[in-house]
Structure formats: structure tokens, C-alpha cells
Amino acid sequence: MRERLDPASTQHLLPGAPEPRYLTDPPTSGPHAVGPLPRGVGDRPIPRPVQVAILEAGGVLIQYRDLSGTELKRLRSLAGGDVRVAPAPRLRARVVATAWTHKLSCSGVDTAALRRFI
């Protein structure tokens, strides 16, 4: 799904800045953090300003909630290069992939759909 570009996407947030409002959840554009970006597979949720920074840099972020060990293993196999995988306990769908102004929501780990999105 293509999402509208947030007009505030040119804003860079310094460390310690309050989190801005985003047009989408999870965000697919908007104000974003500066600094080093997480890579690969993470064990903790990624703050939304960092999520947007990943996308602005050309990365794909795959976030998940409530997955079994087998599902998580399959999802983690997609990480690498510009693809990051991290938990996000407040997602509406169980798996959500985001790229700059694009989002894919899945009810489970659909590796074929996720590979096409990437």
C-alpha cells in the first residue's frame, strides 16, 4: 500500500527530542532521527524516529508481534543488508513491513509477500 508523504519528512530530530506525530502507524515517512542505524535482527522495539531514519536511508523494516518460535525464525531469515527485523508489540497486524511511503500488513509470516515487498 502506498502512503502519503509526510511534509515534515525533511526534519531531522536531534537526540533527546520529543517524538513527533506521524501521519501513519507505523510511520512510512516524517521527521526522523540522526545517527547510526540498527542493522539485522533486533530484540527490542525501534523508536519511531529511528524507524523513519531507516526508511529514509533506503532500508526496509519488518516489525512483528505475537509470533511463534518457528514464525520468528522464518521472519528473521529475511534480515540482512538493508532489511531490519524487530518486535513492535503495539502493531495492529502481526507482521508489518515498511519502506519509504509504502507499507505491507500481514496476519502472519508470509515470506513470499514479504520478499516481493523487499
Side-chain angles (χ1 to χ4, degrees):
M1 165 190 301
R2 179 142 180 122
E3 298 193 319
R4 187 169 60 113
L5 177 67
D6 187 328
S9 293
T10 59
Q11 293 179 2
H12 292 105
L13 303 172
L14 297 175
E19 183 177 290
R21 291 182 184 251
Y22 290 98
L23 298 180
T24 61
D25 185 35
T28 58
S29 64
H32 48 281
V34 295
L37 300 175
R39 303 188 72 64
V41 176
D43 294 330
R44 294 187 195 133
I46 298 173
R48 291 170 7 134
V50 177
Q51 292 176 28
V52 178
I54 290 168
L55 307 182
E56 193 254 352
V60 173
L61 178 58
I62 304 174
Q63 299 179 87
Y64 64 89
R65 66 167 177 81
D66 304 327
L67 297 182
S68 69
T70 302
E71 290 173 310
L72 187 53
K73 184 177 179 179
R74 288 180 26 228
L75 190 65
R76 287 179 170 177
S77 73
L78 299 172
D82 290 330
V83 179
R84 279 76 168 189
V85 174
R90 290 188 252 153
L91 290 175
R92 289 185 192 156
R94 292 179 64 220
V95 177
V96 177
T98 52
W100 192 250
T101 70
H102 289 79
K103 178 173 70 175
L104 172 68
S105 297
C106 302
S107 59
V109 180
D110 184 340
T111 53
L114 290 164
R115 286 185 198 283
R116 283 190 303 272
F117 183 85
I118 294 166

